[in-house]
Amino acid sequence: MSVVTRFAPSPTGYLHVGGARTALYSWLYAKSQGGEFVLRIEDTDLERSTDDAKQAILDGMQWLGLTWDKGPYYQTERFDRYRTLIQQLLDEGKAYKCFMSPEELDAIREKQKENGEKPRYPGTWRDRTDHPEGEPFVVRFKNPQEGTVVINDHIRGKIEISNAELDDLIIQRSDGSPTYNFCVVVDDWDMGITHVVRGEDHINNTPRQINILKALGAPVPEYAHVSMILGDDGKKLSKRHGAVSVMQYRDDGFLPQAVLNYLVRLGWAHGDQEIFSVDEMIEYFDLDAIGQSASAFNTEKLIWLNQHYMKTLPASEVASRLKWHFDQMNIDLSAGPALESVIAIQADRVKTLKEMAEISCYFYEDFEAFDANAAKKHLRPVAKEALKTVKEMLLAVEEWNPENIAAAINKAAETLGVGMGKIGMPLRVAATGSGNSPSLDITLNLLSKQKIADRIDNALTFIANRENS
């Protein structure tokens, strides 16, 4: 049997972290088995589904690199298929029209609650044929009333539910639109889905869907219900814990490799290994190795992984992601050093690509003002001679490289008979706008000699204005 898995989000919002992990597990299982991965957009909730949310899901999947082999399919484009099969179930006596009003059903459920019973539809119209003409109705699936549904879940083991616990599910609303549980069944059948990987919140849906599959004469896929993700406070992950949207992690400066590596370990393990390439994930992944316990999100660990990947991925890969952040700031990179060179000297100093872009702007554009604290401390009248001298020494450098730049700075300190701090800090603030940068020799090497001279002149003007104010 060829494995076919699917990810089937509802487009009512962004692609969240929990959904992305489910998508990753489903994708990995298909890839590990040489199978196919299907993307299906479950947009039957017409009131809440939006085009923006559909695009957000596609963007999130593409950013993570979770490419699909088939799809994206949209349920709203398949209504004729659903209606045909609903009619088939009606004709075969496996579904029926229910004319009970919502008000009647609410009253029954209230009474059931008062009696300490489980609220459920009592089957009033299950066997009736006295259908009123022209009255609105829903179509309900005639669920078996005896026996049990057994699910051999890859994560949770054997789950057995009595059919007596399940009432007759609505499969078509009064407006003629099919419901979620029915559409899912038909889609999984038509798309040849062999393994359904989804959140544990769907466990209650699974026995109902299995019964509908059997009624249609369709094969029943295997199931794996993944536990939820909790925040570091033990509560269900939500916006209060920070970013929960996959694309927010991109915006915040995380690499997709770091996010994938982090998500795969939220419930799955391969020995004590923490760092996984995508190829390793595919090689080692096993549905049966996913844990049952809820996983707690730990942002510090994600940051650690992000730093690892910033430093170890090919610089060209990191550069393509870093460029996006500079683009968001409308910074033209054409006049500055290659991004790979910036990454080489900045990756050890930051947690995210966004932070790297923010502290590296001075390589590509002149800054409008010096950092106030750094300027107050280091751009003082006493620094004028040091800046003029080091400017002269730097302009005299013939072959522009870190070694010669370091030698020129040392020569300026020796000429003035002062320590390196008296030269280095004013120079750093003048050249970069702040008191923090990688070592001066490698920092200045990425700037042109003339650019540095111009910035030193700017610093001298700042000092002169400060003296005269």
Side-chain angles (χ1 to χ4, degrees), residues 226-261:
V226 184
S227 294
M228 70 173 64
I229 300 174
L230 305 176
D232 47 20
D233 58 0
K235 296 180 180 177
K236 187 175 180 181
L237 191 67
S238 66
K239 289 182 180 179
R240 69 176 178 276
H241 296 106
V244 290
S245 158
V246 165
M247 298 310 283
Q248 185 62 49
Y249 284 103
R250 178 202 62 179
D251 297 352
D252 289 346
F254 289 89
L255 285 158
Q257 291 88 343
V259 175
L260 283 176
N261 195 153

PDB file of all heavy atoms in Angstrom, residues 226-261:
ATOM      1  N   VAL A 226      -2.438  13.666  17.647  1.00  0.00           N
ATOM      2  CA  VAL A 226      -1.302  14.316  18.298  1.00  0.00           C
ATOM      3  C   VAL A 226      -1.778  15.179  19.464  1.00  0.00           C
ATOM      4  O   VAL A 226      -2.783  15.902  19.346  1.00  0.00           O
ATOM      5  CB  VAL A 226      -0.545  15.191  17.269  1.00  0.00           C
ATOM      6  CG1 VAL A 226       0.695  15.810  17.892  1.00  0.00           C
ATOM      7  CG2 VAL A 226      -0.168  14.361  16.042  1.00  0.00           C
ATOM      8  N   SER A 227      -1.044  15.133  20.563  1.00  0.00           N
ATOM      9  CA  SER A 227      -1.403  15.939  21.735  1.00  0.00           C
ATOM     10  C   SER A 227      -1.198  17.421  21.468  1.00  0.00           C
ATOM     11  O   SER A 227      -0.461  17.818  20.566  1.00  0.00           O
ATOM     12  CB  SER A 227      -0.560  15.516  22.938  1.00  0.00           C
ATOM     13  OG  SER A 227      -0.866  14.202  23.325  1.00  0.00           O
ATOM     14  N   MET A 228      -1.832  18.230  22.295  1.00  0.00           N
ATOM     15  CA  MET A 228      -1.737  19.683  22.122  1.00  0.00           C
ATOM     16  C   MET A 228      -0.376  20.214  22.567  1.00  0.00           C
ATOM     17  O   MET A 228       0.409  19.517  23.223  1.00  0.00           O
ATOM     18  CB  MET A 228      -2.847  20.386  22.901  1.00  0.00           C
ATOM     19  CG  MET A 228      -2.684  20.320  24.409  1.00  0.00           C
ATOM     20  SD  MET A 228      -3.908  21.344  25.271  1.00  0.00           S
ATOM     21  CE  MET A 228      -5.428  20.534  24.817  1.00  0.00           C
ATOM     22  N   ILE A 229      -0.113  21.455  22.200  1.00  0.00           N
ATOM     23  CA  ILE A 229       1.096  22.155  22.644  1.00  0.00           C
ATOM     24  C   ILE A 229       0.688  23.150  23.720  1.00  0.00           C
ATOM     25  O   ILE A 229      -0.268  23.906  23.560  1.00  0.00           O
ATOM     26  CB  ILE A 229       1.773  22.892  21.467  1.00  0.00           C
ATOM     27  CG1 ILE A 229       2.172  21.892  20.370  1.00  0.00           C
ATOM     28  CG2 ILE A 229       2.994  23.658  21.953  1.00  0.00           C
ATOM     29  CD1 ILE A 229       2.716  22.563  19.114  1.00  0.00           C
ATOM     30  N   LEU A 230       1.415  23.132  24.809  1.00  0.00           N
ATOM     31  CA  LEU A 230       1.146  24.048  25.918  1.00  0.00           C
ATOM     32  C   LEU A 230       2.179  25.162  25.943  1.00  0.00           C
ATOM     33  O   LEU A 230       3.299  25.010  25.433  1.00  0.00           O
ATOM     34  CB  LEU A 230       1.191  23.296  27.249  1.00  0.00           C
ATOM     35  CG  LEU A 230       0.282  22.066  27.380  1.00  0.00           C
ATOM     36  CD1 LEU A 230       0.516  21.389  28.718  1.00  0.00           C
ATOM     37  CD2 LEU A 230      -1.182  22.463  27.226  1.00  0.00           C
ATOM     38  N   GLY A 231       1.813  26.271  26.561  1.00  0.00           N
ATOM     39  CA  GLY A 231       2.783  27.331  26.808  1.00  0.00           C
ATOM     40  C   GLY A 231       3.690  26.922  27.961  1.00  0.00           C
ATOM     41  O   GLY A 231       3.474  25.900  28.623  1.00  0.00           O
ATOM     42  N   ASP A 232       4.725  27.719  28.221  1.00  0.00           N
ATOM     43  CA  ASP A 232       5.649  27.353  29.301  1.00  0.00           C
ATOM     44  C   ASP A 232       5.006  27.460  30.682  1.00  0.00           C
ATOM     45  O   ASP A 232       5.607  27.060  31.686  1.00  0.00           O
ATOM     46  CB  ASP A 232       6.933  28.195  29.239  1.00  0.00           C
ATOM     47  CG  ASP A 232       6.648  29.669  29.046  1.00  0.00           C
ATOM     48  OD1 ASP A 232       5.506  30.088  29.338  1.00  0.00           O
ATOM     49  OD2 ASP A 232       7.546  30.397  28.613  1.00  0.00           O
ATOM     50  N   ASP A 233       3.764  27.980  30.734  1.00  0.00           N
ATOM     51  CA  ASP A 233       3.044  28.042  32.009  1.00  0.00           C
ATOM     52  C   ASP A 233       2.083  26.874  32.177  1.00  0.00           C
ATOM     53  O   ASP A 233       1.303  26.827  33.130  1.00  0.00           O
ATOM     54  CB  ASP A 233       2.277  29.366  32.135  1.00  0.00           C
ATOM     55  CG  ASP A 233       1.276  29.567  30.992  1.00  0.00           C
ATOM     56  OD1 ASP A 233       1.187  28.675  30.111  1.00  0.00           O
ATOM     57  OD2 ASP A 233       0.595  30.605  30.978  1.00  0.00           O
ATOM     58  N   GLY A 234       2.131  25.931  31.237  1.00  0.00           N
ATOM     59  CA  GLY A 234       1.282  24.757  31.348  1.00  0.00           C
ATOM     60  C   GLY A 234      -0.109  24.919  30.781  1.00  0.00           C
ATOM     61  O   GLY A 234      -0.913  23.989  30.809  1.00  0.00           O
ATOM     62  N   LYS A 235      -0.428  26.097  30.264  1.00  0.00           N
ATOM     63  CA  LYS A 235      -1.752  26.341  29.690  1.00  0.00           C
ATOM     64  C   LYS A 235      -1.685  26.247  28.167  1.00  0.00           C
ATOM     65  O   LYS A 235      -0.607  26.361  27.583  1.00  0.00           O
ATOM     66  CB  LYS A 235      -2.266  27.720  30.121  1.00  0.00           C
ATOM     67  CG  LYS A 235      -2.479  27.824  31.630  1.00  0.00           C
ATOM     68  CD  LYS A 235      -2.985  29.196  32.033  1.00  0.00           C
ATOM     69  CE  LYS A 235      -3.183  29.287  33.544  1.00  0.00           C
ATOM     70  NZ  LYS A 235      -3.607  30.627  33.977  1.00  0.00           N
ATOM     71  N   LYS A 236      -2.837  26.032  27.541  1.00  0.00           N
ATOM     72  CA  LYS A 236      -2.884  25.861  26.099  1.00  0.00           C
ATOM     73  C   LYS A 236      -2.214  27.044  25.404  1.00  0.00           C
ATOM     74  O   LYS A 236      -2.443  28.200  25.746  1.00  0.00           O
ATOM     75  CB  LYS A 236      -4.337  25.725  25.627  1.00  0.00           C
ATOM     76  CG  LYS A 236      -4.457  25.382  24.145  1.00  0.00           C
ATOM     77  CD  LYS A 236      -5.900  25.142  23.744  1.00  0.00           C
ATOM     78  CE  LYS A 236      -5.997  24.810  22.257  1.00  0.00           C
ATOM     79  NZ  LYS A 236      -7.384  24.600  21.820  1.00  0.00           N
ATOM     80  N   LEU A 237      -1.377  26.731  24.427  1.00  0.00           N
ATOM     81  CA  LEU A 237      -0.615  27.767  23.732  1.00  0.00           C
ATOM     82  C   LEU A 237      -1.559  28.775  23.084  1.00  0.00           C
ATOM     83  O   LEU A 237      -2.506  28.416  22.391  1.00  0.00           O
ATOM     84  CB  LEU A 237       0.275  27.128  22.663  1.00  0.00           C
ATOM     85  CG  LEU A 237       1.328  28.022  22.020  1.00  0.00           C
ATOM     86  CD1 LEU A 237       2.394  28.401  23.041  1.00  0.00           C
ATOM     87  CD2 LEU A 237       1.985  27.313  20.844  1.00  0.00           C
ATOM     88  N   SER A 238      -1.300  30.057  23.329  1.00  0.00           N
ATOM     89  CA  SER A 238      -2.136  31.110  22.754  1.00  0.00           C
ATOM     90  C   SER A 238      -1.289  32.351  22.563  1.00  0.00           C
ATOM     91  O   SER A 238      -0.082  32.362  22.846  1.00  0.00           O
ATOM     92  CB  SER A 238      -3.316  31.431  23.675  1.00  0.00           C
ATOM     93  OG  SER A 238      -2.859  32.006  24.881  1.00  0.00           O
ATOM     94  N   LYS A 239      -1.936  33.416  22.090  1.00  0.00           N
ATOM     95  CA  LYS A 239      -1.203  34.651  21.786  1.00  0.00           C
ATOM     96  C   LYS A 239      -0.472  35.220  22.994  1.00  0.00           C
ATOM     97  O   LYS A 239       0.528  35.909  22.861  1.00  0.00           O
ATOM     98  CB  LYS A 239      -2.163  35.693  21.215  1.00  0.00           C
ATOM     99  CG  LYS A 239      -2.641  35.385  19.809  1.00  0.00           C
ATOM    100  CD  LYS A 239      -3.557  36.479  19.285  1.00  0.00           C
ATOM    101  CE  LYS A 239      -4.028  36.172  17.871  1.00  0.00           C
ATOM    102  NZ  LYS A 239      -4.951  37.216  17.354  1.00  0.00           N
ATOM    103  N   ARG A 240      -0.993  34.941  24.193  1.00  0.00           N
ATOM    104  CA  ARG A 240      -0.350  35.516  25.377  1.00  0.00           C
ATOM    105  C   ARG A 240       1.063  34.953  25.597  1.00  0.00           C
ATOM    106  O   ARG A 240       1.843  35.513  26.344  1.00  0.00           O
ATOM    107  CB  ARG A 240      -1.198  35.287  26.624  1.00  0.00           C
ATOM    108  CG  ARG A 240      -1.283  33.849  27.087  1.00  0.00           C
ATOM    109  CD  ARG A 240      -2.066  33.718  28.392  1.00  0.00           C
ATOM    110  NE  ARG A 240      -2.181  32.337  28.806  1.00  0.00           N
ATOM    111  CZ  ARG A 240      -3.088  31.482  28.388  1.00  0.00           C
ATOM    112  NH1 ARG A 240      -3.979  31.897  27.504  1.00  0.00           N
ATOM    113  NH2 ARG A 240      -3.123  30.237  28.827  1.00  0.00           N
ATOM    114  N   HIS A 241       1.361  33.827  24.941  1.00  0.00           N
ATOM    115  CA  HIS A 241       2.685  33.234  25.084  1.00  0.00           C
ATOM    116  C   HIS A 241       3.668  33.780  24.047  1.00  0.00           C
ATOM    117  O   HIS A 241       4.814  33.345  23.989  1.00  0.00           O
ATOM    118  CB  HIS A 241       2.602  31.710  24.933  1.00  0.00           C
ATOM    119  CG  HIS A 241       1.789  31.056  26.007  1.00  0.00           C
ATOM    120  ND1 HIS A 241       0.512  30.558  25.778  1.00  0.00           N
ATOM    121  CD2 HIS A 241       2.051  30.832  27.313  1.00  0.00           C
ATOM    122  CE1 HIS A 241       0.044  30.047  26.896  1.00  0.00           C
ATOM    123  NE2 HIS A 241       0.943  30.205  27.840  1.00  0.00           N
ATOM    124  N   GLY A 242       3.224  34.722  23.236  1.00  0.00           N
ATOM    125  CA  GLY A 242       4.085  35.262  22.190  1.00  0.00           C
ATOM    126  C   GLY A 242       3.557  34.841  20.830  1.00  0.00           C
ATOM    127  O   GLY A 242       2.370  34.635  20.638  1.00  0.00           O
ATOM    128  N   ALA A 243       4.466  34.683  19.886  1.00  0.00           N
ATOM    129  CA  ALA A 243       4.057  34.341  18.522  1.00  0.00           C
ATOM    130  C   ALA A 243       3.498  32.923  18.466  1.00  0.00           C
ATOM    131  O   ALA A 243       4.107  31.993  18.957  1.00  0.00           O
ATOM    132  CB  ALA A 243       5.257  34.463  17.583  1.00  0.00           C
ATOM    133  N   VAL A 244       2.334  32.788  17.903  1.00  0.00           N
ATOM    134  CA  VAL A 244       1.786  31.457  17.666  1.00  0.00           C
ATOM    135  C   VAL A 244       1.543  31.227  16.173  1.00  0.00           C
ATOM    136  O   VAL A 244       1.295  30.113  15.745  1.00  0.00           O
ATOM    137  CB  VAL A 244       0.468  31.213  18.440  1.00  0.00           C
ATOM    138  CG1 VAL A 244       0.730  31.114  19.919  1.00  0.00           C
ATOM    139  CG2 VAL A 244      -0.562  32.291  18.165  1.00  0.00           C
ATOM    140  N   SER A 245       1.658  32.272  15.379  1.00  0.00           N
ATOM    141  CA  SER A 245       1.553  32.166  13.933  1.00  0.00           C
ATOM    142  C   SER A 245       2.919  31.831  13.354  1.00  0.00           C
ATOM    143  O   SER A 245       3.940  32.422  13.735  1.00  0.00           O
ATOM    144  CB  SER A 245       1.058  33.491  13.335  1.00  0.00           C
ATOM    145  OG  SER A 245       1.405  33.595  11.979  1.00  0.00           O
ATOM    146  N   VAL A 246       2.943  30.876  12.440  1.00  0.00           N
ATOM    147  CA  VAL A 246       4.203  30.485  11.812  1.00  0.00           C
ATOM    148  C   VAL A 246       4.877  31.683  11.146  1.00  0.00           C
ATOM    149  O   VAL A 246       6.088  31.895  11.284  1.00  0.00           O
ATOM    150  CB  VAL A 246       3.942  29.367  10.777  1.00  0.00           C
ATOM    151  CG1 VAL A 246       5.138  29.204   9.854  1.00  0.00           C
ATOM    152  CG2 VAL A 246       3.655  28.060  11.493  1.00  0.00           C
ATOM    153  N   MET A 247       4.101  32.491  10.448  1.00  0.00           N
ATOM    154  CA  MET A 247       4.702  33.621   9.733  1.00  0.00           C
ATOM    155  C   MET A 247       5.192  34.706  10.685  1.00  0.00           C
ATOM    156  O   MET A 247       6.047  35.512  10.326  1.00  0.00           O
ATOM    157  CB  MET A 247       3.719  34.194   8.709  1.00  0.00           C
ATOM    158  CG  MET A 247       3.339  33.190   7.627  1.00  0.00           C
ATOM    159  SD  MET A 247       4.759  32.366   6.857  1.00  0.00           S
ATOM    160  CE  MET A 247       5.342  33.659   5.781  1.00  0.00           C
ATOM    161  N   GLN A 248       4.662  34.723  11.903  1.00  0.00           N
ATOM    162  CA  GLN A 248       5.185  35.662  12.890  1.00  0.00           C
ATOM    163  C   GLN A 248       6.619  35.301  13.252  1.00  0.00           C
ATOM    164  O   GLN A 248       7.448  36.180  13.514  1.00  0.00           O
ATOM    165  CB  GLN A 248       4.310  35.663  14.146  1.00  0.00           C
ATOM    166  CG  GLN A 248       4.704  36.712  15.185  1.00  0.00           C
ATOM    167  CD  GLN A 248       4.572  38.136  14.669  1.00  0.00           C
ATOM    168  OE1 GLN A 248       3.548  38.501  14.115  1.00  0.00           O
ATOM    169  NE2 GLN A 248       5.628  38.932  14.822  1.00  0.00           N
ATOM    170  N   TYR A 249       6.924  34.004  13.244  1.00  0.00           N
ATOM    171  CA  TYR A 249       8.308  33.592  13.510  1.00  0.00           C
ATOM    172  C   TYR A 249       9.231  34.049  12.393  1.00  0.00           C
ATOM    173  O   TYR A 249      10.369  34.432  12.640  1.00  0.00           O
ATOM    174  CB  TYR A 249       8.383  32.075  13.723  1.00  0.00           C
ATOM    175  CG  TYR A 249       7.865  31.691  15.088  1.00  0.00           C
ATOM    176  CD1 TYR A 249       6.602  31.132  15.251  1.00  0.00           C
ATOM    177  CD2 TYR A 249       8.615  31.941  16.225  1.00  0.00           C
ATOM    178  CE1 TYR A 249       6.115  30.819  16.506  1.00  0.00           C
ATOM    179  CE2 TYR A 249       8.130  31.630  17.485  1.00  0.00           C
ATOM    180  CZ  TYR A 249       6.879  31.069  17.616  1.00  0.00           C
ATOM    181  OH  TYR A 249       6.396  30.786  18.871  1.00  0.00           O
ATOM    182  N   ARG A 250       8.753  33.996  11.164  1.00  0.00           N
ATOM    183  CA  ARG A 250       9.549  34.572  10.070  1.00  0.00           C
ATOM    184  C   ARG A 250       9.769  36.057  10.317  1.00  0.00           C
ATOM    185  O   ARG A 250      10.894  36.558  10.219  1.00  0.00           O
ATOM    186  CB  ARG A 250       8.841  34.379   8.728  1.00  0.00           C
ATOM    187  CG  ARG A 250       9.599  35.013   7.556  1.00  0.00           C
ATOM    188  CD  ARG A 250       8.703  35.299   6.370  1.00  0.00           C
ATOM    189  NE  ARG A 250       7.648  36.260   6.691  1.00  0.00           N
ATOM    190  CZ  ARG A 250       6.741  36.699   5.820  1.00  0.00           C
ATOM    191  NH1 ARG A 250       6.756  36.243   4.583  1.00  0.00           N
ATOM    192  NH2 ARG A 250       5.823  37.570   6.180  1.00  0.00           N
ATOM    193  N   ASP A 251       8.682  36.774  10.636  1.00  0.00           N
ATOM    194  CA  ASP A 251       8.783  38.222  10.853  1.00  0.00           C
ATOM    195  C   ASP A 251       9.711  38.550  12.008  1.00  0.00           C
ATOM    196  O   ASP A 251      10.378  39.587  12.006  1.00  0.00           O
ATOM    197  CB  ASP A 251       7.394  38.814  11.121  1.00  0.00           C
ATOM    198  CG  ASP A 251       6.456  38.665   9.937  1.00  0.00           C
ATOM    199  OD1 ASP A 251       6.919  38.247   8.852  1.00  0.00           O
ATOM    200  OD2 ASP A 251       5.253  38.952  10.088  1.00  0.00           O
ATOM    201  N   ASP A 252       9.753  37.672  13.006  1.00  0.00           N
ATOM    202  CA  ASP A 252      10.590  37.910  14.179  1.00  0.00           C
ATOM    203  C   ASP A 252      12.040  37.511  13.961  1.00  0.00           C
ATOM    204  O   ASP A 252      12.878  37.701  14.855  1.00  0.00           O
ATOM    205  CB  ASP A 252      10.044  37.151  15.392  1.00  0.00           C
ATOM    206  CG  ASP A 252       8.744  37.751  15.909  1.00  0.00           C
ATOM    207  OD1 ASP A 252       8.411  38.889  15.515  1.00  0.00           O
ATOM    208  OD2 ASP A 252       8.056  37.081  16.699  1.00  0.00           O
ATOM    209  N   GLY A 253      12.341  36.918  12.794  1.00  0.00           N
ATOM    210  CA  GLY A 253      13.733  36.655  12.465  1.00  0.00           C
ATOM    211  C   GLY A 253      14.213  35.236  12.676  1.00  0.00           C
ATOM    212  O   GLY A 253      15.429  34.994  12.783  1.00  0.00           O
ATOM    213  N   PHE A 254      13.283  34.282  12.699  1.00  0.00           N
ATOM    214  CA  PHE A 254      13.680  32.891  12.855  1.00  0.00           C
ATOM    215  C   PHE A 254      13.818  32.229  11.491  1.00  0.00           C
ATOM    216  O   PHE A 254      13.080  32.544  10.560  1.00  0.00           O
ATOM    217  CB  PHE A 254      12.664  32.126  13.704  1.00  0.00           C
ATOM    218  CG  PHE A 254      12.696  32.510  15.152  1.00  0.00           C
ATOM    219  CD1 PHE A 254      11.911  33.552  15.624  1.00  0.00           C
ATOM    220  CD2 PHE A 254      13.523  31.851  16.041  1.00  0.00           C
ATOM    221  CE1 PHE A 254      11.939  33.928  16.963  1.00  0.00           C
ATOM    222  CE2 PHE A 254      13.569  32.222  17.379  1.00  0.00           C
ATOM    223  CZ  PHE A 254      12.776  33.263  17.838  1.00  0.00           C
ATOM    224  N   LEU A 255      14.747  31.313  11.391  1.00  0.00           N
ATOM    225  CA  LEU A 255      14.930  30.539  10.175  1.00  0.00           C
ATOM    226  C   LEU A 255      13.924  29.390  10.141  1.00  0.00           C
ATOM    227  O   LEU A 255      13.637  28.782  11.184  1.00  0.00           O
ATOM    228  CB  LEU A 255      16.342  29.960  10.123  1.00  0.00           C
ATOM    229  CG  LEU A 255      17.455  30.955   9.790  1.00  0.00           C
ATOM    230  CD1 LEU A 255      18.799  30.430  10.276  1.00  0.00           C
ATOM    231  CD2 LEU A 255      17.500  31.224   8.287  1.00  0.00           C
ATOM    232  N   PRO A 256      13.399  29.031   8.971  1.00  0.00           N
ATOM    233  CA  PRO A 256      12.445  27.920   8.914  1.00  0.00           C
ATOM    234  C   PRO A 256      13.065  26.608   9.390  1.00  0.00           C
ATOM    235  O   PRO A 256      12.380  25.773   9.980  1.00  0.00           O
ATOM    236  CB  PRO A 256      12.044  27.866   7.435  1.00  0.00           C
ATOM    237  CG  PRO A 256      13.100  28.617   6.698  1.00  0.00           C
ATOM    238  CD  PRO A 256      13.604  29.655   7.645  1.00  0.00           C
ATOM    239  N   GLN A 257      14.373  26.436   9.155  1.00  0.00           N
ATOM    240  CA  GLN A 257      15.034  25.203   9.616  1.00  0.00           C
ATOM    241  C   GLN A 257      14.981  25.089  11.131  1.00  0.00           C
ATOM    242  O   GLN A 257      14.809  23.993  11.684  1.00  0.00           O
ATOM    243  CB  GLN A 257      16.499  25.181   9.145  1.00  0.00           C
ATOM    244  CG  GLN A 257      16.677  25.016   7.652  1.00  0.00           C
ATOM    245  CD  GLN A 257      16.671  26.327   6.894  1.00  0.00           C
ATOM    246  OE1 GLN A 257      16.227  27.364   7.399  1.00  0.00           O
ATOM    247  NE2 GLN A 257      17.174  26.309   5.676  1.00  0.00           N
ATOM    248  N   ALA A 258      15.129  26.229  11.816  1.00  0.00           N
ATOM    249  CA  ALA A 258      15.083  26.220  13.275  1.00  0.00           C
ATOM    250  C   ALA A 258      13.672  25.902  13.767  1.00  0.00           C
ATOM    251  O   ALA A 258      13.484  25.141  14.717  1.00  0.00           O
ATOM    252  CB  ALA A 258      15.540  27.573  13.827  1.00  0.00           C
ATOM    253  N   VAL A 259      12.677  26.498  13.108  1.00  0.00           N
ATOM    254  CA  VAL A 259      11.288  26.260  13.506  1.00  0.00           C
ATOM    255  C   VAL A 259      10.911  24.796  13.277  1.00  0.00           C
ATOM    256  O   VAL A 259      10.308  24.147  14.139  1.00  0.00           O
ATOM    257  CB  VAL A 259      10.325  27.209  12.755  1.00  0.00           C
ATOM    258  CG1 VAL A 259       8.881  26.872  13.085  1.00  0.00           C
ATOM    259  CG2 VAL A 259      10.633  28.666  13.110  1.00  0.00           C
ATOM    260  N   LEU A 260      11.292  24.240  12.123  1.00  0.00           N
ATOM    261  CA  LEU A 260      11.009  22.832  11.840  1.00  0.00           C
ATOM    262  C   LEU A 260      11.681  21.918  12.862  1.00  0.00           C
ATOM    263  O   LEU A 260      11.066  20.991  13.392  1.00  0.00           O
ATOM    264  CB  LEU A 260      11.490  22.465  10.432  1.00  0.00           C
ATOM    265  CG  LEU A 260      10.626  22.907   9.256  1.00  0.00           C
ATOM    266  CD1 LEU A 260      11.312  22.533   7.949  1.00  0.00           C
ATOM    267  CD2 LEU A 260       9.243  22.281   9.308  1.00  0.00           C
ATOM    268  N   ASN A 261      12.961  22.169  13.112  1.00  0.00           N
ATOM    269  CA  ASN A 261      13.709  21.349  14.065  1.00  0.00           C
ATOM    270  C   ASN A 261      13.072  21.429  15.451  1.00  0.00           C
ATOM    271  O   ASN A 261      12.957  20.431  16.171  1.00  0.00           O
ATOM    272  CB  ASN A 261      15.161  21.806  14.110  1.00  0.00           C
ATOM    273  CG  ASN A 261      16.096  20.821  14.788  1.00  0.00           C
ATOM    274  OD1 ASN A 261      17.296  20.773  14.487  1.00  0.00           O
ATOM    275  ND2 ASN A 261      15.606  20.032  15.725  1.00  0.00           N
TER     276      ASN A 261
END
